Amino acid sequence: MAKHASAAVGWGHHHLQKRWLLALLLMLTVSTVIAFFMRAAFDSCDRNVSVDNVISSARDSVQVADKRAPQIAAAKPSPLSFMKSKIVLLVSHELSLSGGPLLLMELAFLLRSVGAEVNWVTFMKPSETDEVIYSLENKMLDRGVQVFSAFGKEAIDTALRADLVVLNTAVAGKWVDYVLKEDIHRVLPKVLWWIHEMRGHYFKLEYVKHLPSVAGAMIDSHVTAEYWKNRTQERLKIKMPETYVVHLGNSNELMQVAEDSVAKRVLREHVRESLGVRNDDLLIALINSVSRGKGQDLFLRSFYEALQLIKQKKMQVPPLHAVIVGSDMSAHTKLEMELRDYVTQKKIQDRVHFVNKTLTVAPYLAAVDVLVQNSQGRGECFGRITIEAMAFQLPVLGTAAGGTTEIVVNGTTGLLHPAGKEGVTTLAKHIVKLATHVERRLTIGKRGYERVKERFLEHHMAERIGEVLKEALRKSKIRSSKHL
């Protein structure tokens, strides 16, 4: 790995990351800062930086910020207020930094904010102590979410007395059989199954055989809901329950940063400084955990092809850089090595930057100019990073697959390309198009932001989820009474 690229994930990067977060302390509301500090705990490996010194340096770099008193708008009634005093059990197959568990945590906090009693169990946990799990569990405890073992009497008792049980992901279905056993018929009528998966290996009867008996299924996109309906009928010979499509929304905390021009400028400057790129360089980012399904390998091929097109046609454009956020060199996977070998082979070490996987995506969204959503196969179930990028007025170059097609309006808020090798050249041309047409790039970004404001905010998601929860509660009462 080249020194220039690896510098992005070293001590200096983490030191600067703490500075970004503490700089925000001077600019954003308390809730925003709390969210960013929680996330920073997982990203920083530098434990020796003096907090006082960092705060001091942040004040020096953002002197204007302490003069800006944040205006807190009057809170609107929550569409989830009917959940006050309701007892909810959330069952997650794992507790990690991946999308499913984090989304369920957001639901937990939304429910707690309206006075619901929220309980959490994690079905699959490593035997050894895990720092991420420990931190996330303590974050939930701090917010009033009760966390206990998935296999104890407390889990069973809570499931029996709960008004609603939410199973998160298909794999969580194994918990129902493993733990509830003879009490299963008393709990299934009040189960809402929240499904995020698109991969074929999740269609196993051992995971989802109880789907026909639950109060309902909640899925993140129409294309995924249709896929589940067809696959369960054709392959498993079971029928889906009433299924509700709920598009996700951006958190209020992320939107605060996205709409704060001073915060974005500070983050942009510090991220670009840590990456060693100039302010007028053009940064194309792919923000996802590195895997074949996320398409980092094909993205690098497109990026290299775009560089060759620009060179061949002698186009006058700013220097292009690719930023891959979601790397994990400690895992020493074959793909991680392949990506770095490809960069070295093509001699583009000074144009490609690898950044460790992180929860704190806002600094990178503030720093880059274009987001690539390159998920392969059937695409993303939804792909929340897409709407997060659009909140920062970034044009999105996405695969024409999965939930991306329900977010990105092709030619208006982004440009779509085919999944697989067939999409490599198309994506390369789209990169060149946005690099050479500044006004179009900015216009697409603004339209993406407008689309987010119209339908992809936290209150939009809360309204959609609220309607589903009301219906699930209604059905569970009817079905539970039949078992009495």
Side-chain angles (χ1 to χ4, degrees), residues 24-133:
L24 286 177
L25 178 64
L26 305 173
M27 295 181 288
L28 306 174
T29 66
V30 172
S31 62
T32 306
V33 174
I34 289 172
F36 271 81
F37 272 113
M38 184 273 284
R39 291 166 181 167
F42 308 125
D43 301 331
S44 180
C45 63
D46 174 23
R47 306 298 181 192
N48 301 312
V49 177
S50 165
V51 173
D52 291 336
N53 290 342
V54 176
I55 292 176
S56 178
S57 66
R59 285 190 180 123
D60 291 340
S61 64
V62 200
Q63 292 178 0
V64 70
D66 60 354
K67 299 176 183 178
R68 300 171 66 242
Q71 301 297 313
I72 303 175
K76 296 180 181 178
S78 169
L80 295 170
S81 57
F82 67 93
M83 291 296 294
K84 182 178 181 180
S85 300
K86 291 288 191 295
I87 301 169
V88 182
L89 175 63
L90 305 178
V91 181
S92 184
H93 76 289
E94 66 175 10
L95 188 52
S96 67
L97 301 184
S98 56
L102 296 177
L103 191 56
L104 192 66
M105 280 183 63
E106 280 194 42
L107 177 59
F109 298 153
L110 286 172
L111 292 174
R112 281 295 301 138
S113 71
V114 298
E117 177 190 322
V118 183
N119 306 276
W120 178 290
V121 298
T122 303
F123 179 51
M124 300 165 62
K125 293 173 71 172
S127 56
E128 66 278 4
T129 302
D130 184 284
E131 182 181 349
V132 170
I133 292 176

Side-chain angles (χ1 to χ4, degrees), residues 98-225:
S98 56
L102 296 177
L103 191 56
L104 192 66
M105 280 183 63
E106 280 194 42
L107 177 59
F109 298 153
L110 286 172
L111 292 174
R112 281 295 301 138
S113 71
V114 298
E117 177 190 322
V118 183
N119 306 276
W120 178 290
V121 298
T122 303
F123 179 51
M124 300 165 62
K125 293 173 71 172
S127 56
E128 66 278 4
T129 302
D130 184 284
E131 182 181 349
V132 170
I133 292 176
Y134 176 81
S135 299
L136 292 176
E137 286 184 341
N138 276 278
K139 177 63 181 177
M140 287 192 281
L141 290 169
D142 289 344
R143 299 284 289 270
V145 178
Q146 298 303 306
V147 181
F148 41 79
S149 169
F151 308 105
K153 185 175 184 296
E154 197 170 10
I156 299 172
D157 291 345
T158 304
L160 291 173
R161 69 184 181 89
D163 296 291
L164 191 67
V165 176
V166 180
L167 297 182
N168 197 44
T169 75
V171 183
K174 294 181 70 174
W175 176 84
V176 174
D177 281 316
Y178 195 87
V179 175
L180 297 180
K181 298 176 182 176
E182 64 270 12
D183 292 312
I184 193 169
H185 68 282
R186 298 172 59 187
V187 177
L188 286 179
K190 51 186 178 182
V191 166
L192 176 65
W193 211 321
W194 201 356
I195 295 172
H196 314 285
E197 296 95 336
M198 279 281 276
R199 304 290 180 258
H201 60 270
Y202 291 107
F203 290 88
K204 293 182 179 179
L205 206 56
E206 62 179 300
Y207 295 160
V208 298
K209 63 183 177 183
H210 296 298
L211 266 174
S213 303
V214 303
M218 186 163 66
I219 299 181
D220 305 333
S221 65
H222 293 280
V223 65
T224 307

Side-chain angles (χ1 to χ4, degrees), residues 7 23 66 111 128 240 261 270 277 285 302 336 409 411 462 465:
D66 60 354
L111 292 174
E128 66 278 4
M240 286 287 289
S261 59
H270 281 299
V277 300
S302 296
E336 290 275 5
V409 179
I465 290 178

Side-chain angles (χ1 to χ4, degrees), residues 255-281:
M255 292 304 299
Q256 282 181 298
V257 181
E259 295 176 333
D260 189 318
S261 59
V262 177
K264 287 196 296 184
R265 189 186 73 242
V266 171
L267 292 173
R268 181 182 177 89
E269 289 173 356
H270 281 299
V271 171
R272 286 179 172 245
E273 178 186 342
S274 72
L275 296 176
V277 300
R278 297 178 303 181
N279 190 54
D280 57 352
D281 290 352

Side-chain angles (χ1 to χ4, degrees), residues 9-20:
V9 298
W11 181 91
H13 171 70
H14 292 299
H15 174 68
L16 286 168
Q17 191 171 55
K18 281 196 171 185
R19 289 180 62 195
W20 310 329

